[in-house]
Amino acid sequence: MKEIALSPPPLVHNQFESVRELFSRNVVPSYARFDLVLSHGAGSYVYDVAGKRYLDLGSGIAVCCLGHAHPAITEALVEQSKKLIHVSNLYFTEPQGRLAAELVKRLGAGKCFFANSGAEANEGLFKVARKFGHAEGRFEILTAANSFHGRTLAGIAATGQDKVKKGFEPLTPGFRHVPFNDLAAMRAAISPATVAILIEGVQGEGGVTPATPEYLLGLRALCDEKKLLLFLDGVQCGHYRSGKFQSFQRILENVPGGEKFLPDGVSMAKSLGGGFPIGAFWVRAPYADLLGPGTHASTFGGTPLACAVALRVLEVVEHEKLDEQARKLGAGLRDELEGLAKKYPAVVKGARGLGFLLGFELADKIPGFASSSQPAAIQFTNRMHQAGVLVIPAGAQVIRLLPPLNLKPEEAREGIGKIEEIVQSLA
Ligand SMILES: Cc1ncc(COP(=O)(O)O)c(C=O)c1O
């Protein structure tokens, strides 16, 4: 009888190719992914399927604030998942109430709503604004040119970058964009329909541009004068990345009048869960009950599991003073990047940012990139990957560094050393 045998598995199983194959067959190709298949991580490092190690200076785009596989996050996940993962928002749960109280403590009198992502957190703020202006027929939200607020339909309408809108018209009405850090332009843009202003404290996707103290204080005064709500998107720049809980607190420290500054709403996500998905918005006390019962909801928003993890992340960041770490090491990294700009002006134009939200701008015509049609930031990022470091491009010319808040000094030195190697090789 003829033996029926399955063909043996290939001797060399190429996991890289097989994972890519799974993606090309089954995953919607909406991301331009880099050629890396990552399998696991520990602290500030991740490893690809071939075992190559990378220093992660991107932390999943400002998400893994405690690095990878942090035991406190694992413990919180395990402990809470043994008790209660999810029950819906038909009921009260202690972790959600405690997390809201912690966020309120760090921002000011107000209340929180929990969602699952940054875009969703911003959507909630848009609904607060619509409710606030509804009786007077005011609905329009002014945002900044070059801003980024998420990929939902309202998110792309709010985002001040054409590339996210293209092909998805007609856009959700009620958003207009105004040059960033330009108070006069914002004043001039206000119409009778305007109800709110939304900006990032530090524009992240737009190329790492912090708001100036004058702009923040001026916007507050303008919003008070015109009865507008002032919203800050802290999704990327928040959660201690700047060296303070929120970037506006960092930008305004030691600025006369800064201690009194408070926006009317703040959106949060990314580092809030240290890698576990959770988003939230905080809304200042006078407006905290605008979204009454039945007006807004999310099945997964604020599960006991997500909130328990977020509470533990907060605890670790504060106990280990990681805000100070981000501030100190971030200042050192920024100095080094500025040094590179002086030493290699043909490659690096300049550096900017706060704490561990840093960016360096690449020069327009880098000699080493002459023959490629890819944007400079993508080519630079690929070279960093070859050198074993993950960095994040922002637009065509800027490289972002968003390391875990617990990055060690020797890891920062390793990162800057590798950046200099690449810069030098391109000069
Ligand atoms: C400032 C800002 N807002 C909102 C978002 C959207 O967050 P999410 O991707 O979690 O929806 C992002 C994401 O990069 C962001 O940087």
Side-chain angles (χ1 to χ4, degrees), residues 378-389:
I378 301 294
Q379 294 190 63
F380 194 93
T381 302
N382 277 321
R383 301 243 179 159
M384 291 301 299
H385 290 170
Q386 282 160 16
V389 181

Side-chain angles (χ1 to χ4, degrees), residues 117-120 122 148-150 200 205 233 235-236 269-270:
S117 65
E120 241 190 291
N122 284 331
F148 186 83
H149 299 296
E200 293 155 88
E205 302 295 313
D233 181 333
V235 168
Q236 184 163 155
K270 290 194 181 273

Side-chain angles (χ1 to χ4, degrees), residues 243 250 322-333 355-356 409:
R250 170 79 202 266
L322 298 182
D323 48 346
E324 288 171 22
Q325 173 94 338
R327 177 188 289 254
K328 205 170 113 219
L329 280 185
L333 278 175
F356 272 169

Side-chain angles (χ1 to χ4, degrees), residues 61 63 116-122 147-152 159 200 202-205 233-237 267 269-270 278 400:
I61 323 186
V63 169
N116 310 284
S117 65
E120 241 190 291
N122 284 331
S147 59
F148 186 83
H149 299 296
R151 294 286 195 151
T152 54
T159 292
E200 293 155 88
V202 183
Q203 289 191 335
E205 302 295 313
D233 181 333
V235 168
Q236 184 163 155
C237 57
S267 54
K270 290 194 181 273
I278 179 169
R400 254 178 307 173

